[in-house]
């Protein structure tokens, strides 16, 4: 690992100011992804602004019926919060489907949103990678791309974004609250937070240098009783999704008032299944309609050489998640 300066920050505004003053600095929260990347020489900050002393971990109800999760709260605390388990079981189960208990105990909510791709070429500094080193090429495009994207990719990068938590946040219409240099705040809808790779795959999200995630806000949840997180992976723990689906159904008897669907493991960002949501609106909650919705969702998929299987797997996982949501189950994996 390269040498770096370690600078603890006492407050959020102090942290923002410290980072803004050094374009080569990074925030350090749980460190579960950043430190690995520094050890592999992928990330090379010359200074870490430590956020460990800042109190931004509170989980609290909002007056609009939603909740706020502190940006520096631990993933374990969010998943086990009675407020989250009761009103947002989809989020709780998605978090628990990710990583391991030890990592969830360290990882923060904001760090989860900012984790980087697990593309193996990104981690291998001997290989070309536009995300790690812009302009060098994409080794995965013609390489081993079984784990990679089927939606929204570009010739510059075919990586997928690895978070489970963010897939649930997408289905739940979260907003990401951010402190900007100077201390002002802005809120970014989750659907606009992560980017597609385009010609700038080095940029994972829309944050500007210095901005700090202070909270994740969720609106009141109308489908707490009918939601599910289905994750398919190569082994049953400590593995990233081949595909995953967060599903929520707002029902009037057996009629679907609205469906809320997002997919992980298929794109550079959590992938909202808008065609399927539109198809299901006002329809009966039947297996046949779930199958037609899944087909609509996967119709625009563009697989790579080694991941054509994700299309059929994606359909089956969407159907399974919708069936579980209908029954009131919340997780299998
Ligand atoms: Fe790098 Fe993206 Fe290509 Fe992987 S898919 S090698 S992260 S440019």
């Amino acid at each position: 690992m390269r040498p770096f300066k370690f600078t603890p920050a006492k407050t959020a505004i102090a942290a923002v100011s410290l980072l803004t003053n050094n374009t080569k600095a990074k925030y350090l929260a749980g460190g579960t992804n950043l430190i690995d990347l520094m050890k592999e020489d992928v990330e090379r900050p010359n200074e870490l602004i430590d956020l460990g002393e800042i109190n931004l971990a509170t989980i609290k109800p909002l007056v609009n019926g939603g909740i706020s999760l502190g940006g520096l709260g631990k993933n374990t605390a969010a998943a086990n919060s009675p407020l989250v388990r009761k009103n947002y079981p989809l989020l709780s189960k998605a978090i628990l489907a990710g990583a391991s208990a030890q990592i969830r105990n360290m990882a923060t909510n904001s760090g989860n949103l900012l984790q980087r791709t697990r593309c193996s070429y990104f981690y291998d500094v001997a290989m070309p990678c536009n995300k790690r080193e812009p302009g060098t090429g994409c080794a995965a495009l013609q390489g081993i791309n079984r784990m990679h994207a089927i939606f929204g990719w570009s010739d510059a990068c075919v990586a997928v974004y690895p978070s489970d938590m963010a897939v649930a946040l997408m289905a739940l219409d979260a907003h990401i609250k951010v402190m900007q240099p100077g201390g002002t705040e802005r809120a970014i809808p989750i659907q606009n937070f992560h980017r597609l790779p385009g010609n700038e795959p080095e940029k994972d999200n829309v944050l500007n240098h210095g901005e700090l995630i202070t909270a994740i806000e969720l609106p009141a949840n109308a489908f707490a009783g009918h939601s599910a997180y289905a994750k398919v992976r190569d082994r049953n723990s400590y593995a990233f999704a081949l595909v995953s689906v967060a599903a929520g159904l707002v029902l009037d008897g057996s009629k679907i008032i609205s469906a809320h669907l997002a997919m992980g493991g298929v794109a550079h960002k959590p992938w909202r299944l808008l065609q399927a949501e539109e198809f299901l609106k006002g329809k009966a909650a039947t297996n046949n309609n779930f199958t037609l919705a899944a087909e609509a969702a996967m119709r625009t998929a563009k697989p790579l050489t080694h991941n054509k299987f994700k299309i059929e797997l994606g359909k089956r996982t969407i159907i399974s998640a919708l069936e579980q949501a209908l029954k009131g189950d919340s997780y299998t994996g």
Side-chain angles (χ1 to χ4, degrees):
M1 196 188 284
R2 294 171 192 241
F4 59 88
K5 187 176 166 195
F6 183 82
T7 310
K10 299 280 183 205
T11 63
I13 191 139
V16 169
S17 171
L18 285 163
L19 200 83
T20 306
N21 289 335
N22 180 358
T23 56
K24 293 188 175 166
K26 290 215 171 258
Y27 289 131
L28 176 68
T32 56
N33 189 208
L34 177 61
I35 301 299
D36 282 353
L37 289 165
M38 289 171 67
K39 287 179 183 167
E40 299 289 340
D41 207 26
V42 174
E43 295 276 14
R44 301 170 183 175
N46 66 7
E47 181 177 13
L48 292 181
I49 310 300
D50 180 44
L51 307 176
E53 293 179 40
I54 301 173
N55 183 15
L56 275 178
T58 310
I59 299 173
K60 59 185 181 197
L62 297 171
V63 285
N64 65 4
I67 61 165
S68 170
L69 307 172
L72 296 175
K74 301 294 188 185
N75 281 180
T76 297
N80 293 334
S81 152
L83 206 53
V84 174
R85 289 171 68 108
K86 178 167 177 271
N87 298 326
Y88 303 89
L90 174 61
L91 178 60
S92 178
K93 298 300 181 181
I95 293 172
L96 293 174
S100 64
Q102 292 87 346
I103 289 176
R104 293 192 296 269
N105 287 342
M106 284 298 293
T108 61
N109 298 324
S110 53
N112 192 316
L113 284 174
L114 299 179
Q115 63 180 299
R116 308 212 67 190
T117 183
R118 264 55 181 193
C119 171
S120 56
Y121 300 108
F122 175 69
Y123 276 77
D124 184 347
V125 293
M127 300 302 290
C129 172
N130 288 323
K131 185 180 279 296
R132 177 174 20 84
E133 229 171 301
T136 56
C138 171
L141 187 61
Q142 303 301 333
I144 305 296
N145 46 41
R146 176 175 176 273
M147 297 292 291
H148 290 69
I150 56 172
F151 291 113
W153 52 269
S154 70
D155 284 352
C157 180
V158 294
V160 296
Y161 168 68
S163 167
D164 290 293
M165 181 184 86
V167 181
L169 292 177
M170 179 67 88
L172 289 161
D173 287 313
H175 279 70
I176 315 303
K177 283 193 74 179
V178 169
M179 184 180 284
Q180 300 173 288
T184 52
E185 287 202 304
R186 65 174 179 139
I188 308 168
I190 182 89
Q191 51 271 41
N192 299 339
F193 184 80
H194 296 98
R195 296 179 69 258
L196 291 179
N199 293 324
E200 294 180 303
E202 70 276 15
K203 294 180 184 170
D204 293 345
N205 55 59
V206 300
L207 287 185
N208 298 311
H209 184 75
E211 288 187 315
L212 175 72
I213 296 174
T214 53
I216 298 169
E217 291 190 350
L218 298 167
N221 183 12
F223 52 83
H226 289 284
S227 62
Y229 189 70
K231 177 176 180 179
V232 181
R233 45 189 158 174
D234 283 328
R235 58 177 190 273
N236 215 20
S237 73
Y238 202 22
F240 296 97
L242 291 164
V243 299
S244 66
V245 176
L249 291 171
V250 181
L251 297 165
D252 179 6
S254 62
K255 184 180 161 191
I256 299 168
I257 304 299
S258 62
H260 304 259
L261 287 163
M263 206 167 194
V266 293
H268 199 258
K269 60 188 289 184
W271 195 252
R272 189 94 191 220
L273 304 180
L274 293 172
Q275 291 99 329
E277 290 183 358
E278 192 55 36
F279 173 83
L280 288 169
K281 203 171 179 178
K283 300 252 180 14
T286 62
N287 179 273
N288 189 46
N289 281 331
F290 293 165
T291 303
L292 292 171
E295 283 168 1
M298 302 308 287
R299 203 162 286 141
T300 54
K302 207 170 143 202
L304 302 161
T305 311
H306 302 120
N307 66 7
K308 294 184 178 66
F309 71 95
K310 283 195 179 186
I311 295 180
E312 184 58 29
L313 188 62
K315 280 184 204 167
R316 293 183 190 197
T317 310
I318 293 168
I319 296 166
S320 172
L322 285 167
E323 285 177 342
Q324 291 166 52
L326 179 61
K327 278 192 284 182
D329 295 345
S330 54
Y331 170 70
T332 58

